[in-house]
Amino acid sequence: MTRNLFAKGIGMLALARALPNGDMALAAFVVDVYCLGVKKARFSVVSADEWAAFVQPFDFEAIDPGCLRKLIEGAVDYARDLGFPPHAEYAAAAALFGNIDAAACAQRYTYGKDDKPLYVSGAEDTPAQSQHILETLTSRLGAKGFHFLTAVDAQQAGLAGELTGPVTLCSYEITNEPIADAAFDRLPADVQERINALYPKVMKNQPREALAEVRVLIKQYPEIAQLHNYLYAACHNMGEHAEAARVLEETVRRFPDYLFGRIALAEDCLRRGEAARIAEIFDHKLDLRLLYPERVRFHVTEVLGFQSIVARYFHAQGEQELAQRSYDLMCEIDPKHPNTLRVAYVLHPSPLGTWLREKLLRQ
């Protein structure tokens, strides 16, 4: 079996029996002990050399055959209870168990993570498959009955690849796709384009030139929170900090559920050394699913912006373990993002930390 299977959550288990002619009957299983049970299975007959070659790449450790059977069948039962059958070839592979006695194994196996199923999307999971799994879990357990970590666009979100270590628990999807905004989506297409075109001007190189158009659009479309955020950013980037602070407070008051507004206000508090206000800004709910229980999907920039605030807040409060937890999640999502690097500088300001950040940027 894969070493430290229950710490990793997913891994390979394999059983081989010697045949009279010297070949090996092989049953191999990819087992997700956190949620989905047997994700893949196959049975084959291989030569002794092929068996040795099969084993070689894996970080395997020996396991008693009875315990192997007990572990696999327990994972299958756990997943079935959640609504997920084993792989189509499971029965054929499991036939190799034969008379191996699972009851003789004294080891006790516990499935899930922290007393709940944890679904982690794999590199081969399509958005439709992930959505089906989440819907199945929700129908069985309710929205708060399980954890999940999944990216709708895994490659861009930096979460693609085989799971090789413990994951950070977060019960929401992370995506690069635009998040639906009813007020913005009702705008005419040409107005949406005008607003989107303002972003680089406001945030980077032409805040003064963009300011007049932002004010005009706010008069026409006062219900668009994004425009008020642009107004704050333009004032701030022009050095008009008193006006920026006024706009920011007003934005959060008018749009209390607008996450980017709360993030901007929290950033302003950190700059002014008022970290104690941050818990109040987020209603003392420093977890996105607690803060927005009706949402299951967040844009990657929302997650990174929020976790950046949370990490620096906990650091300021002396809660280094909690700060590191937020930073670890940011590294899983995008280790080179400016927000991630900013937190790295705060948490690890040593020369070694500086070297690591520069190395990341050069990669």
Side-chain angles (χ1 to χ4, degrees):
M1 63 178 287
T2 298
R3 196 178 305 276
N4 299 323
L5 172 64
F6 282 86
K8 298 177 180 180
I10 191 168
M12 175 77 73
L13 292 97
L15 173 69
R17 288 181 181 267
L19 300 176
N21 66 355
D23 287 342
M24 308 290 288
L26 167 64
F29 309 85
V30 175
V31 181
D32 174 2
V33 295
Y34 285 166
C35 183
L36 299 178
V38 175
K39 295 187 68 175
K40 292 183 180 179
R42 73 181 178 97
F43 172 81
S44 58
V45 176
V46 299
S47 69
D49 288 341
E50 288 171 327
W51 162 246
F54 170 81
V55 172
Q56 196 276 331
F58 294 98
D59 183 20
F60 273 150
E61 62 182 359
I63 179 174
D64 176 83
C67 290
L68 179 140
R69 181 173 188 172
K70 181 178 181 179
L71 191 163
I72 293 174
E73 291 181 341
V76 169
D77 290 342
Y78 182 78
R80 283 191 193 278
D81 286 343
L82 298 175
F84 307 114
H87 187 263
E89 296 182 34
Y90 168 71
L96 193 62
F97 292 151
N99 61 356
I100 292 174
D101 185 7
C105 176
Q107 181 68 42
R108 181 176 179 270
Y109 297 110
T110 303
Y111 304 93
K113 181 73 171 176
D114 296 334
D115 299 322
K116 292 182 180 181
L118 164 62
Y119 167 57
V120 182
S121 64
E124 298 178 1
D125 291 352
T126 66
Q129 289 170 329
S130 292
Q131 190 64 33
H132 171 71
I133 291 169
L134 294 175
E135 289 173 354
T136 301
L137 288 168
T138 301
S139 67
R140 293 291 180 105
L141 305 171
K144 297 183 180 181
F146 61 96
H147 303 292
F148 64 91
L149 178 58
T150 177
V152 171
D153 189 341
Q155 292 289 347
Q156 278 104 344
L159 296 171
E162 183 179 356
L163 178 63
T164 57
V167 298
T168 302
L169 300 185
C170 60
S171 297
Y172 47 81
E173 294 181 18
I174 303 170
T175 179
N176 272 315
E177 295 297 319
I179 300 295
D181 181 314
F184 184 85
D185 293 342
R186 285 194 296 267
L187 295 174
D190 62 318
V191 176
Q192 293 185 25
E193 291 178 7
R194 284 175 64 192
I195 293 174
N196 289 332
L198 285 171
Y199 179 83
K201 297 179 182 179
V202 168
M203 299 297 184
K204 297 178 181 179
N205 50 14
Q206 296 175 303
R208 192 172 299 279
E209 289 80 352
L211 185 60
E213 187 172 3
V214 170
R215 292 188 185 279
V216 168
L217 286 169
I218 286 177
K219 286 183 179 180
Q220 292 178 298
Y221 309 101
E223 75 283 2
I224 304 301
Q226 183 177 341
L227 288 170
H228 296 264
N229 198 38
Y230 282 178
L231 178 59
Y232 155 73
C235 292
H236 175 77
N237 292 337
M238 289 163 51
E240 298 179 2
H241 298 302
E243 176 64 8
R246 185 198 67 77
V247 170
L248 187 53
E249 295 280 357
E250 175 65 13
T251 299
V252 173
R253 186 190 66 79
R254 290 189 61 178
F255 306 98
D257 290 332
Y258 181 52
L259 180 54
F260 284 119
R262 291 188 181 196
I263 290 172
L265 181 57
E267 284 282 3
D268 190 58
C269 289
L270 284 171
R271 276 194 297 268
R272 290 187 277 111
E274 299 177 1
R277 280 196 63 195
I278 289 173
E280 178 185 345
I281 291 170
F282 295 106
D283 298 332
H284 301 275
K285 298 174 182 176
L286 300 180
D287 179 282
L288 285 176
R289 279 305 301 275
L290 295 178
L291 191 61
Y292 298 100
E294 74 287 354
R295 290 183 61 180
V296 297
R297 180 179 296 178
F298 293 87
H299 194 269
V300 62
T301 55
E302 291 181 302
V303 177
L304 290 172
F306 179 76
Q307 294 297 340
S308 171
I309 295 295
V310 171
R312 286 177 287 152
Y313 166 74
F314 281 131
H315 175 75
Q317 300 301 308
E319 298 282 357
Q320 300 308 317
E321 183 177 346
L322 294 175
Q324 185 67 38
R325 188 181 302 171
S326 288
Y327 173 60
D328 288 344
L329 175 59
M330 297 176 73
C331 287
E332 289 181 23
I333 298 169
D334 187 349
K336 299 179 186 179
H337 192 277
N339 277 332
T340 308
L341 296 175
R342 180 187 305 175
V343 172
Y345 179 79
V346 172
L347 300 189
H348 306 289
S350 65
L352 175 60
T354 301
W355 178 82
L356 286 171
R357 286 188 296 277
E358 291 175 351
K359 187 173 186 295
L360 276 173
L361 287 171
R362 289 197 298 270
Q363 288 179 352

